[in-house]
Amino acid sequence: QVQLVESGGGLVQPGGSLYLSCEASGNIFRMVAMGWYRQAPGKERELVAQINAGGATHTADSVKGRFTVSRGDAQNTVYLQMNSLRSEDTAVYYCNARGYYGPGSTFDSWGQGTQVTVSS
């Protein structure tokens, strides 16, 4: 089982910045990708940004140029730098990790979520 622990959410004014962190622990044979999703009230959960084992990133168009995803050297941590925050970025942000427990045994784990509120 793989556990994810997130930190860094909070309340920020429009135009401000926040930095989210997520650390994975447990039985990880190989990490395939880690990333961030978000879910606003009444909306579907959506991908914000992710980074794969090779370092390639994908960022949603709605946050491109404002949010940056990165990872730690050990590849069991993922970060999200959020700049120029807007009210529409308000959501619960979830960390996600996908990989293998062992050859052929996959995991797809989620963090508990951290609230990001952008408001004046």
Side-chain angles (χ1 to χ4, degrees):
Q1 189 174 3
V2 175
Q3 295 82 36
L4 303 179
V5 177
E6 302 142 334
S7 61
L11 173 64
V12 65
Q13 293 185 342
S17 298
L18 282 174
Y19 185 72
L20 304 184
S21 300
C22 174
E23 181 175 3
S25 62
N27 186 19
I28 301 171
F29 174 70
R30 182 165 70 88
M31 191 72 78
V32 172
M34 294 187 75
W36 295 92
Y37 289 70
R38 68 185 182 186
Q39 187 167 19
K43 294 190 176 181
E44 299 280 325
R45 188 174 295 190
E46 62 176 359
L47 174 66
V48 176
Q50 69 177 19
I51 183 166
N52 68 19
T57 61
H58 171 76
T59 305
D61 288 343
S62 59
V63 304
K64 200 165 289 184
R66 301 188 296 122
F67 291 11
T68 302
V69 63
S70 62
R71 65 180 183 192
D73 291 338
Q75 297 194 23
N76 68 327
T77 53
V78 65
Y79 310 103
L80 186 67
Q81 176 67 51
M82 303 186 292
N83 298 327
S84 302
L85 282 159
R86 306 168 181 168
S87 58
E88 53 263 40
D89 297 317
T90 295
V92 178
Y93 284 69
Y94 296 91
C95 179
N96 173 258
R98 294 181 286 115
Y100 293 87
Y101 292 113
S105 300
T106 61
F107 68 84
D108 186 350
S109 297
W110 293 89
Q112 78 282 2
T114 185
Q115 178 69 47
V116 171
T117 302
V118 185
S119 175
S120 56

